[in-house]
Amino acid sequence: MPLNPWITLFSFLTIILPLLNPFVAFAVNPQGEALLSWKQSLNGPTEAWSNWNPIDGTPCGWFGITCNINKEVVELELRHLSLYGTVPTNLTSLVSLTKIVLSDTNLTGSIPKEISTLHELNYLDLSDNALTGEIPSEICNLLKLQEIHLNFNQLEGLIPAQIGNLTSLKWLILYENQLNGEIPNTIGNLKNLQVIRAGGNKNIRGLIPREIGNCTELTILGLTETCVSGFLPPSLGLLKKLETIYISKTLLSGQIPPEIGNCTALQNITLYQNSLIGSIPKSLGNLKNLQKLFLWNNSLVGTIPSELGNCKKLTVLHLSGNSLTGNIPQSFGNLSALQNLTLHMNQISGKIPAEFENCKELTWINLGNNSIAGTIPSEIGKLTKLQLLFLYENELVGPIPSSISKCQNLQILDLASNGLTGNSLQGIFQLKKLKTIDLSSNNLSGEILENIGNCSSLIWFRVGDNKLTGPIPREIGNLENLDILDLNLNRISGNVPAEIFCCRNLEYLNLHSNLIIGKLPGELSSLVLLQYVDFSNNSIEGNYIDMEKILTLLKTIDFSNNSFKGEIPKGCGFMFGLGMGYLVFSSEKPKYLLTIIYGERRNKNKEDVVGWIA
């Protein structure tokens, strides 16, 4: 029987046409077409979504796509991909979408107004892209929106006043953009709002609207690094569910409203680097859930309220850089969870409370630059987790307690510029994890003992301006990590031990104004990192010509008031001081010269030292 030519042609077209144009037959539905159209506009690699196949009947099985039981697309979720394109605008066939997540996908351009057609949308995340332009006010017509995440973009303009229409909104995340203007008072309409974070928008300004007190579900308020100004609104006290306040590095002024003490769910208060005045409210003692309190670098005055001792969950208390006075409350002994106590740069007086012995979780104590008097309590030895102890620039007297040797986790010990006395070094040298010892400018006596060699992690050793005697122990050569050795203005005698030149990382060596004798060891030139040397005001002997290699290697040298002889070698750098028995050379002015010789206080930077802690 002969074949029907029409049947043959139909069979041929059935096979060939889908290959030539997949949309002719077995075409994906209109929602799939819209998604494929968007995909074709993108310039990034497509491996991750290679299963977006146009011959599928629906996009429901595609990567990043979720459908409902009616095979309608309800979620578009693509994260951490290099899409290199714009947010889709052809959305008319995707009105069933409830969730869009396109975070960290290298999108540019603006947020399209067409997104306002997605009336079912309750979740929008376009964070971590390079989106520009304004937040379209049309987005505020999406009354089912519960979460908006637009952080880490380059968005400009105002927060739309119409944001108050989104009464279902729970999360509003806008931080790290370039938004400006004021926070609209319509924010108070958002009765379901739980989180607002708009920090890092340096041009957001004006007052924090008092209407925020209407957002009674709020748990997180974040406005750090903005230009909000004025007072903290007392209406914050109405937010019984508030857990975290982040409003640091702003233009806030005025007093901390005592009404904050009504926010009994508060766990974190971060208000540092503002212009807050007045005293710390006693009502903060009502915050039984408070864990972290950061009020540093403000203009707070008055005493530290003893009521803070009621905050037994407190782990971090940072009040430095204010003008606080009075004693450290004994009630702090109740803070059994406290890990970090930082009160430096205030005007605190009185004694260090012995009750600290109950704070056994303490790892960090910084009470430096105050007017604290009395002795260091022996109870300090019970703080076995302590890693950093800063008590510099106070009025402490008496010996360093021997119990400090029990603080075996101690890494930084700074007791400089006090009136400490006695021979207290032996217990300190039992602390094998120490990286910094600064006991300079006290009245300590006795010798530097051999067990300093136990401190093999030591980077800084500064005991200048004391009354120490005896020789430099040879065991100092065990300190292979030593960067700074400062023994100036003591009564140290004997020769410079050759073992000191085993300290291959030494950059700063200051032995001036001691009773050191003998010849300068030639091994000094082997310390290739050494920048600053001061041996002045001793009785060291030698010939200038023998020091030629040393003089050409080092940046700053002071051998004044010793017993050197002979001619000064040529080509030894710029000579800025020369007299009878006096020799100072400098090839440049290194940082050590500027910060140590010319009076900037000895901290290379105290806060930088913390970076050495593993």
Side-chain angles (χ1 to χ4, degrees):
M1 181 176 176
L3 291 174
N4 187 326
W6 293 106
I7 295 175
T8 304
L9 178 61
F10 178 77
S11 300
F12 174 78
L13 292 175
T14 302
I15 296 170
I16 294 299
L17 285 180
L19 300 176
L20 297 176
N21 186 351
F23 293 102
V24 174
F26 309 109
V28 73
N29 65 18
Q31 290 192 324
E33 287 184 27
L35 291 168
L36 287 171
S37 175
W38 175 58
K39 177 185 175 183
Q40 289 171 1
S41 73
L42 303 175
N43 299 311
T46 59
E47 291 84 356
W49 48 355
S50 58
N51 70 339
W52 283 34
N53 195 330
I55 67 172
D56 294 334
T58 72
C60 295
W62 293 357
F63 174 75
I65 302 297
T66 302
C67 294
N68 60 19
I69 57 174
N70 298 321
K71 297 186 177 180
E72 297 172 319
V73 176
V74 291
E75 295 184 7
L76 168 61
E77 186 166 352
L78 299 171
R79 303 175 187 266
H80 315 305
L81 297 172
S82 297
L83 302 183
Y84 294 110
T86 59
V87 179
T89 56
N90 182 17
L91 301 170
T92 52
S93 60
L94 294 167
V95 291
S96 54
L97 273 171
T98 63
K99 182 177 183 178
I100 295 178
V101 177
L102 297 172
S103 64
D104 189 20
T105 50
N106 285 294
L107 295 178
T108 56
S110 60
I111 300 172
K113 295 179 180 180
E114 290 84 353
I115 212 163
S116 64
T117 62
L118 305 177
H119 294 293
E120 298 300 315
L121 199 66
N122 61 53
Y123 193 105
L124 177 62
D125 185 352
L126 304 177
S127 62
D128 287 285
N129 284 293
L131 300 176
T132 54
E134 298 185 353
I135 300 172
S137 59
E138 289 83 356
I139 207 172
C140 301
N141 296 326
L142 302 175
L143 301 184
K144 293 186 179 181
L145 266 179
Q146 296 183 21
E147 297 195 25
I148 299 175
H149 300 259
L150 302 178
N151 50 293
F152 285 114
N153 279 288
Q154 300 167 26
L155 298 171
E156 301 173 333
L158 306 176
I159 299 173
Q162 296 89 335
I163 199 80
N165 298 338
L166 301 178
T167 53
S168 298
L169 198 63
K170 295 180 179 179
W171 283 51
L172 180 58
I173 312 298
L174 305 174
Y175 63 88
E176 297 298 335
N177 279 285
Q178 298 169 22
L179 300 173
N180 56 55
E182 299 185 0
I183 300 169
N185 56 15
T186 55
I187 203 90
N189 298 340
L190 307 181
K191 302 295 194 298
N192 293 299
L193 193 64
Q194 297 173 7
V195 178
I196 176 169
R197 296 187 61 189
N201 291 283
K202 293 181 170 52
N203 292 316
I204 287 182
R205 53 183 171 76
L207 305 178
I208 300 172
R210 58 183 176 82
E211 289 82 359
I212 203 165
N214 298 331
C215 305
T216 52
E217 296 297 313
L218 200 64
T219 61
I220 297 178
L221 173 59
L223 298 171
T224 288
E225 293 192 53
T226 63
C227 284
V228 293
S229 56
F231 298 177
L232 283 168
S235 59
L236 288 176
L238 300 173
L239 305 178
K240 306 297 183 183
K241 295 184 179 181
L242 192 62
E243 296 177 358
T244 297
I245 298 175
Y246 291 125
I247 313 180
S248 58
K249 296 185 178 180
T250 72
L251 302 178
L252 277 181
S253 56
Q255 300 189 24
I256 301 172
E259 289 83 357
I260 283 184
N262 298 328
C263 304
T264 51
L266 266 174
Q267 299 176 19
N268 304 291
I269 299 177
T270 300
L271 297 173
Y272 64 82
Q273 284 188 253
N274 289 297
S275 299
L276 299 173
I277 61 172
S279 59
I280 300 171
K282 295 180 180 181
S283 61
L284 295 188
N286 299 334
L287 305 178
K288 301 298 191 294
N289 293 299
L290 191 64
Q291 297 176 20
K292 296 178 181 179
L293 178 58
F294 294 96
L295 301 178
W296 51 277
N297 280 22
N298 280 285
S299 299
L300 299 171
V301 297
T303 60
I304 301 172
S306 61
E307 288 79 1
L308 286 178
N310 298 330
C311 305
K312 296 183 181 179
K313 293 184 179 180
L314 202 63
T315 60
V316 179
L317 179 58
H318 200 326
L319 308 178
S320 68
N322 285 286
S323 297
L324 300 172
T325 55
N327 299 343
I328 300 171
Q330 294 180 349
S331 62
F332 279 13
N334 299 331
L335 304 177
S336 57
L338 193 63
Q339 299 174 17
N340 182 327
L341 177 63
T342 302
L343 306 177
H344 70 279
M345 293 181 67
N346 279 288
Q347 299 166 27
I348 297 169
S349 56
K351 297 182 178 181
I352 300 173
E355 287 79 4
F356 277 173
E357 67 177 315
N358 301 321
C359 307
K360 292 191 167 54
E361 297 300 313
L362 271 170
T363 61
W364 182 316
I365 296 176
N366 191 344
L367 308 181
N369 203 347
N370 279 289
S371 299
I372 299 170
T375 59
I376 302 173
S378 61
E379 288 82 359
I380 203 85
K382 296 183 180 180
L383 305 180
T384 55
K385 294 185 179 181
L386 196 62
Q387 296 180 25
L388 298 94
L389 179 59
F390 294 102
L391 302 178
Y392 62 90
E393 291 187 16
N394 278 288
E395 298 171 10
L396 297 169
V397 295
I400 302 169
S402 59
S403 61
I404 203 167
S405 63
K406 298 177 182 178
C407 302
Q408 286 295 314
N409 287 299
L410 199 62
Q411 298 186 39
I412 296 180
L413 176 64
D414 190 341
L415 310 179
S417 299
N418 281 285
L420 299 172
T421 57
N423 182 1
S424 310
L425 298 182
Q426 184 169 2
I428 292 173
F429 294 154
Q430 296 177 35
L431 302 173
K432 297 181 180 180
K433 294 183 180 180
L434 271 176
K435 296 184 177 181
T436 293
I437 299 174
D438 194 340
L439 308 177
S440 56
S441 299
N442 279 285
N443 293 308
L444 298 172
S445 58
E447 298 186 6
I448 301 172
L449 302 175
E450 293 84 354
N451 61 347
I452 191 175
N454 297 333
C455 302
S456 56
S457 299
L458 201 59
I459 297 173
W460 277 24
F461 183 53
R462 305 186 67 115
V463 291
D465 194 14
N466 279 285
K467 298 177 180 177
L468 299 176
T469 58
I472 301 171
R474 298 181 183 278
E475 288 75 10
I476 207 160
N478 297 343
L479 309 182
E480 295 180 356
N481 298 303
L482 197 63
D483 176 22
I484 291 179
L485 177 60
D486 187 353
L487 310 180
N488 78 91
L489 288 168
N490 279 288
R491 299 169 186 170
I492 293 170
S493 57
N495 298 325
V496 178
E499 287 80 3
I500 203 170
F501 305 109
C502 296
C503 304
R504 298 296 183 187
N505 290 304
L506 202 61
E507 296 182 33
Y508 177 92
L509 176 58
N510 191 347
L511 305 180
H512 89 74
S513 300
N514 279 287
L515 304 174
I516 296 172
I517 60 173
K519 291 187 176 181
L520 186 70
E523 295 91 339
L524 194 61
S525 60
S526 66
L527 299 178
V528 295
L529 299 178
L530 197 59
Q531 298 184 44
Y532 177 93
V533 173
D534 189 348
F535 287 170
S536 63
N537 294 313
N538 282 286
S539 299
I540 300 172
E541 300 175 351
N543 293 313
Y544 289 138
I545 196 66
D546 296 332
M547 297 189 301
E548 183 169 0
K549 185 176 181 181
I550 297 171
L551 295 174
T552 54
L553 285 174
L554 301 180
K555 293 182 178 179
T556 304
I557 304 172
D558 189 343
F559 291 153
S560 59
N561 293 325
N562 278 287
S563 300
F564 293 104
K565 300 177 181 179
E567 294 184 1
I568 299 170
K570 297 180 180 179
C572 293
F574 173 69
M575 181 176 66
F576 66 84
L578 177 61
M580 182 65 70
Y582 184 97
L583 178 62
V584 181
F585 283 115
S586 180
S587 58
E588 60 180 271
K589 286 187 178 179
K591 289 182 179 179
Y592 292 127
L593 181 65
L594 295 175
T595 59
I596 298 170
I597 297 297
Y598 291 141
E600 258 183 50
R601 197 181 173 277
R602 53 188 165 67
N603 9 347
K604 187 178 180 181
N605 191 323
K606 287 191 176 296
E607 300 303 324
D608 291 344
V609 175
V610 177
W612 293 338
I613 297 179

